């Protein structure tokens, strides 16, 4: 769904009105915004919504485990879980084909013609932005800059930038 599309012209007022009808019911407003965000993103390609959800749950869990951990090794292990999962997804979708093509070109210099190593996948919209936003959450908790949120709905619908700002108030 694009911001200048007919679908958005219908979608936005519905969400806006529903949000204001839920006035002073923060939990319900948060759920509405979360569902609306997922619908908005899934409108482009619903299959990539799972990447955001998986990344979010990994970072929510990793953040709480980093905070609860008693030993530096345990904290590092949970940070590594977050880093490997998020950067792994980003690497596959954004960088795999680049490296596969480069490797194939290099092998052709030596006379070897490898089969096509590239994947026929498209780059999910906003994957770099979202990956680094969620990583900042676990990294900030690891650095003890703030405590993790206990409310999964708040975590899922508020970007880490605003979460950091809100916790600073």
């Amino acid at each position: 769904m694009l911001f200048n599309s007919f679908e958005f012209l219908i979608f936005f007022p519905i969400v806006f009105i529903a949000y204001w009808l839920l006035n002073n019911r923060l939990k319900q407003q948060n759920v509405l915004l979360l569902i609306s965000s997922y619908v908005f993103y899934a409108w482009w390609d619903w299959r990539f919504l799972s990447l955001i959800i998986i990344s979010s749950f990994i970072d929510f869990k990793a953040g709480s485990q980093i905070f609860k951990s008693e030993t530096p090794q345990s904290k590092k292990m949970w940070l590594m879980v977050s880093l490997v999962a998020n950067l792994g997804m980003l690497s596959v979708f954004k960088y795999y084909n680049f490296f596969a093509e480069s490797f194939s070109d290099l092998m052709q210099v030596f006379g070897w013609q490898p089969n096509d190593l590239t994947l026929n996948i498209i780059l999910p919209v906003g994957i770099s932005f979202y990956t680094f936003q969620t990583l900042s959450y676990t990294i900030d908790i690891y650095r003890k800059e703030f405590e993790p949120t206990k409310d999964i709905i708040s975590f899922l619908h508020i970007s880490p930038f605003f979460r950091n700002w809100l916790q600073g108030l």
Side-chain angles (χ1 to χ4, degrees):
M1 179 182 322
L2 300 173
F3 290 110
N4 61 352
S5 68
F6 179 74
E7 292 89 1
F8 186 75
L9 187 63
I10 303 299
F11 177 77
F12 180 73
I14 291 170
V15 173
F16 185 81
I17 291 167
Y19 182 85
W20 287 108
L21 288 175
L22 293 171
N23 191 20
N24 294 327
R25 288 178 275 191
L26 186 60
K27 186 75 167 178
Q28 289 89 349
Q29 287 176 323
N30 289 347
V31 170
L32 172 71
L33 291 177
L34 175 63
I35 292 169
S36 301
S37 297
Y38 284 170
V39 167
F40 179 80
Y41 188 84
W43 202 272
W44 171 70
D45 193 334
W46 62 270
R47 297 171 298 175
F48 295 118
L49 184 59
S50 63
L51 295 176
I52 289 176
I53 293 170
I54 290 167
S55 176
S56 297
F57 279 101
I58 288 171
D59 287 328
F60 181 77
K61 180 69 173 175
S64 68
Q65 291 299 336
I66 289 169
F67 185 73
K68 291 177 189 175
S69 294
E70 308 256 337
T71 65
Q73 295 84 3
S74 180
K75 289 179 188 294
K76 280 185 183 177
M77 191 261 318
W78 281 105
L79 179 63
M80 290 306 295
V81 166
S82 175
L83 288 169
V84 168
N86 285 291
L87 295 177
M89 283 189 273
L90 181 64
S91 297
V92 167
F93 284 95
K94 191 162 186 174
Y95 300 113
Y96 175 81
N97 282 344
F98 169 75
F99 287 114
E101 289 171 5
S102 297
F103 176 76
S104 180
D105 291 345
L106 178 65
M107 291 299 104
Q108 287 177 9
V109 169
F110 296 109
W112 183 51
Q113 298 291 329
N115 293 335
D116 186 21
L117 302 173
T118 60
L119 300 174
N120 190 17
I121 56 175
I122 57 175
L123 182 64
V125 171
I127 190 169
S128 296
F129 174 78
Y130 191 79
T131 297
F132 292 115
Q133 284 286 308
T134 59
L135 276 177
S136 72
Y137 176 77
T138 52
I139 292 169
D140 286 347
I141 292 171
Y142 179 79
R143 292 179 177 169
K144 298 179 181 175
E145 293 184 18
F146 64 86
E147 295 182 8
T149 182
K150 292 174 180 64
D151 180 19
I152 186 74
I153 300 298
S154 294
F155 171 80
L156 291 173
H157 99 278
I158 299 177
S159 79
F161 170 78
F162 291 113
R163 190 177 306 112
N164 295 349
W165 180 76
L166 287 171
Q167 289 187 346
L169 294 177

